[in-house]
Amino acid sequence: MSDVYVVGIDMIRFGRYPERTVPSLAAEATLMALDDCGLSIRDMQALYCGNLGQASGMVGQRMLAEIGQTGIPVTNVANACATGATAFRDAWMAIKAGIYDIVLAVGVEQMGKGLLGGSASEPSPEGLIGSGSMPAMFSQIGIEHARKYGTTFAQFSGVSVKNHWHSTMNPKSMYRMETPLQEVMAAEMIAWPNTKLMCSVNVDGSAAAVLVSEAKMRQLGLVGRAIKVRASEMSSNPFQDRQMAMPDFSSATRLAARRAYEMAGVGPEDISLVELHDCFATAEIVHYENLGLCTDGEAGRLIDDGETRLGGRIPVNVSGGLLSKGHPLGATGIANIYEIATHLRGEAGDRQVNGARLGLTHVVGGGPGMGTACAIHVLEKV
Amino acid sequence: MNAKDDTQPTIVPYLKRDESGKPYLAGSKCTACGHVFVGERTVCAKCTARGQMVSVHLAETGKLYVYTIIHRSFPGVKTPFVDVIVDLDDGAHLKGTLVGVKPEPEAIAFDLPVKIAYREAEPVNKPGKPHLSYVFEPALEA
Ligand SMILES: [Zn+2]
């Protein structure tokens, strides 16, 4: 099986584009990714297109209708917050399988403002039987960490301080404003202990990547800025006793992380930077441990000691993360890969992680009564 | 409370009434691995056993595992309220709203003993249509 490389990758600046269509957002990122490697849509042999909001709307085909209908096979993908990463992994698998040697993966989302979660089922038990909101789920996960290890409100808030600071250096971030600790803690409480500044931002966005086999990369002369995919792993939620009351994102992350490190033949200590799924500040804390960036119970200390800040031992979410860069659900997985690729190429400007050689991306999503989808990629500078 | 009105719909499928109209929480116990599930089911998600599930009435007492205090909910839902995950005394795990405590972190203790109380309530999307629901409330320690 050939190794798989990313030769072209890009994302649009995340923001609010209510006047645009979903296919047009996808098309913009696709053309940027093609320009990144000097190729054309005519060179692509297949398309994997990730989107949640219009999952039954054939977004991939509609995008090709805007930029060139070459007749290639299109697979439209929906997999909660792992949607974009799942499309990327499908492209990776198609090349691994030897079916194609140059494939396009796209992730795109157009979102409204406001609170996510809740079910369409009637009657609504919201408020009567707890809450079905996303903040409720991830706040309980944070409180579970506090129960086990004494993690504090200030430590959870510190995640947001860090990621908002990082985003000031990222021109593609939705927000680019520093938020001091006092401001984060004093912001409107959404669900204890997550304030409004500790919840990810609903935005519109798109990201795209061109994946190739090793032979194709050499044939095209695209070795120079190529990024090697060292591992691509996914998982769903293995059974956990409390899962029906309290959705579980940790065991799926641990499962995928273990397999990804195995596939890559590296350990967490070898990783230069991480883009992980900080949909809420509390989530970033538990994923430090789930991804092996520290031992269980140490995550609060990582924030206290600045180990996950730019310049620290293992910088996390240098892009600004979902908390500040924004979280367009279907685009997030490929945007994270773009961020890592940009650092591995040494093109990240003010936020560059110096000497970055190996990076890890992580997305995990799901909801009450739905289950979990997790995807992890390990990427390496060629 | 008007739980004796047995024509009243229930807020969630696992909340049911027995022949006498008395409310209970329906569960399933896997006789292969012993796990107790909320709701009725036939196959075990934990051990994959088929045909080993028996219907049970869930315990109505337990201990608070974790909580959050909801300040922002969906339109029309009154806040703040306390959302808890409870480990029931029979091993099942149940989500619900905790009443009878201040909605403040300082007022809520891990492992707080709680009990189920059945109540009539109007879903936010069904105004004027009371449903049978349940809440957790602090239980006095024995
Ligand atoms: Zn079983």
Side-chain angles (χ1 to χ4, degrees):
Chain A
M1 286 192 291
S2 169
D3 281 322
V4 177
Y5 296 80
V6 178
V7 291
I9 188 161
D10 213 334
M11 61 181 275
I12 68 168
R13 181 177 180 186
F14 287 176
R16 298 219 167 87
Y17 307 105
E19 75 289 356
R20 298 279 300 273
T21 66
V22 171
S24 85
L25 293 172
E28 184 178 354
T30 293
L31 293 176
M32 290 164 72
L34 290 169
D35 288 346
D36 186 47
C37 53
L39 295 173
S40 151
I41 192 69
R42 290 187 304 278
D43 299 310
M44 302 298 112
Q45 298 165 347
L47 164 61
Y48 294 88
C49 182
N51 174 259
L52 271 184
Q54 297 184 6
S56 58
M58 300 184 77
V59 171
Q61 285 87 343
R62 285 159 63 208
M63 179 190 84
L64 290 180
E66 300 206 2
I67 62 170
Q69 291 170 245
T70 56
I72 56 173
V74 175
T75 306
N76 292 292
V77 176
N79 205 13
C81 297
T83 291
T86 303
F88 183 93
R89 185 165 193 267
D90 283 353
W92 172 86
M93 284 196 293
I95 294 171
K96 272 279 175 198
I99 296 172
Y100 308 113
D101 55 18
I102 181 162
V103 178
L104 178 63
V106 184
V108 60
E109 205 71 50
Q110 195 174 37
M111 303 175 69
K113 289 185 183 183
L115 196 63
L116 296 187
S119 67
S121 74
E122 309 224 357
S124 168
E126 181 72 16
L128 306 177
I129 314 289
S131 173
S133 75
M134 294 288 162
M137 274 197 304
F138 285 94
S139 293
Q140 282 174 333
I141 285 164
I143 295 295
E144 184 181 38
H145 201 269
R147 176 190 169 113
K148 287 180 180 167
Y149 306 117
T151 321
T152 65
F153 179 36
Q155 288 172 325
F156 291 126
S157 304
V159 170
S160 255
V161 175
K162 169 182 71 74
N163 292 356
H164 282 96
W165 170 60
H166 285 161
S167 73
T168 63
M169 295 171 270
N170 182 1
K172 298 203 179 202
S173 178
M174 164 80 182
Y175 290 125
R176 301 184 67 193
M177 287 179 300
E178 280 204 64
T179 56
L181 184 65
Q182 297 79 353
E183 186 181 337
V184 172
M185 294 173 77
E188 179 192 351
M189 184 58 67
I190 303 295
W192 171 261
N194 284 311
T195 68
K196 190 169 185 183
L197 289 173
M198 297 159 73
C199 301
S200 55
V201 194
N202 293 344
V203 299
D204 308 331
S206 58
V210 177
L211 292 82
V212 298
S213 65
E214 181 159 8
K216 193 73 177 179
M217 172 182 70
R218 296 192 186 285
Q219 181 205 325
L220 292 169
L222 290 172
V223 179
R225 291 170 69 251
I227 301 299
K228 185 175 183 176
V229 182
R230 284 282 298 264
S232 175
E233 275 293 354
M234 283 186 68
S235 63
S236 61
N237 46 315
F239 185 86
Q240 290 293 323
D241 280 355
R242 290 189 185 85
Q243 68 180 21
M244 288 169 70
M246 186 182 173
D248 173 54
F249 301 91
S250 289
S251 50
T253 296
R254 285 176 188 240
L255 186 59
R258 195 183 71 230
R259 290 180 184 154
Y261 288 129
E262 263 172 35
M263 184 185 287
V266 301
E269 66 282 0
D270 301 311
I271 302 292
S272 314
L273 76 162
V274 172
E275 287 285 304
L276 62 73
H277 204 75
D278 59 326
C279 50
F280 294 88
T282 47
E284 178 161 324
I285 289 283
V286 300
H287 293 319
Y288 289 166
E289 294 166 13
N290 294 334
L291 296 172
L293 308 185
C294 61
T295 55
D296 287 354
E298 287 288 292
R301 189 189 58 76
L302 256 57
I303 284 293
D304 291 341
D305 294 352
E307 292 197 11
T308 55
R309 289 165 60 98
L310 180 61
R313 175 176 67 85
I314 173 73
V316 172
N317 291 332
V318 175
S319 67
L322 284 53
L323 289 173
S324 191
K325 178 179 66 177
H327 182 24
L329 310 176
T332 291
I334 297 179
N336 285 355
I337 293 170
Y338 163 79
E339 180 69 15
I340 297 291
T342 302
H343 286 270
L344 297 177
R345 288 167 159 182
E347 298 172 359
D350 291 344
R351 68 185 191 286
Q352 176 68 41
V353 172
N354 291 323
R357 289 209 56 83
L358 272 173
L360 181 145
T361 64
H362 160 258
V363 285
V364 65
M370 289 194 278
T372 304
C374 178
I376 292 181
H377 287 90
V378 177
L379 304 156
E380 183 183 28
K381 181 190 180 103
V382 174
Chain B
M1 179 171 124
N2 191 20
K4 285 200 170 61
D5 173 7
D6 59 11
T7 60
Q8 198 176 72
T10 63
I11 189 79
V12 284
Y14 55 84
L15 176 54
K16 293 178 178 290
R17 289 186 184 82
D18 65 16
E19 301 77 9
S20 69
K22 188 169 167 286
Y24 70 95
L25 294 165
S28 308
K29 180 167 186 164
C30 175
T31 55
C33 74
H35 190 74
V36 181
F37 293 86
V38 173
E40 294 186 333
R41 56 187 300 139
T42 57
V43 177
C44 183
K46 182 171 188 173
C47 76
T48 75
R50 297 166 63 176
Q52 303 287 316
M53 208 62 77
V54 294
S55 294
V56 295
H57 289 206
L58 294 177
E60 295 183 336
T61 54
K63 286 191 164 63
L64 186 157
Y65 178 60
V66 295
Y67 68 94
T68 177
I69 303 158
I70 304 294
H71 294 265
R72 174 94 73 89
S73 182
F74 298 101
V77 177
K78 196 165 159 267
T79 57
F81 61 88
V82 181
D83 174 339
V84 293
I85 306 296
V86 169
D87 293 345
L88 296 179
D89 289 336
D90 57 8
H93 308 279
L94 187 66
K95 183 185 183 75
T97 298
L98 174 65
V99 301
V101 298
K102 274 191 165 179
E104 295 166 2
E106 299 74 23
I108 304 166
F110 296 125
D111 298 318
L112 175 77
V114 296
K115 62 182 189 334
I116 294 277
Y118 298 102
R119 296 234 176 133
E120 182 183 294
E122 283 180 19
V124 66
N125 61 345
K126 302 264 180 189
K129 291 228 168 174
H131 283 59
L132 177 64
S133 187
Y134 69 88
V135 292
F136 290 108
E137 51 189 30
L140 297 174
E141 292 216 54

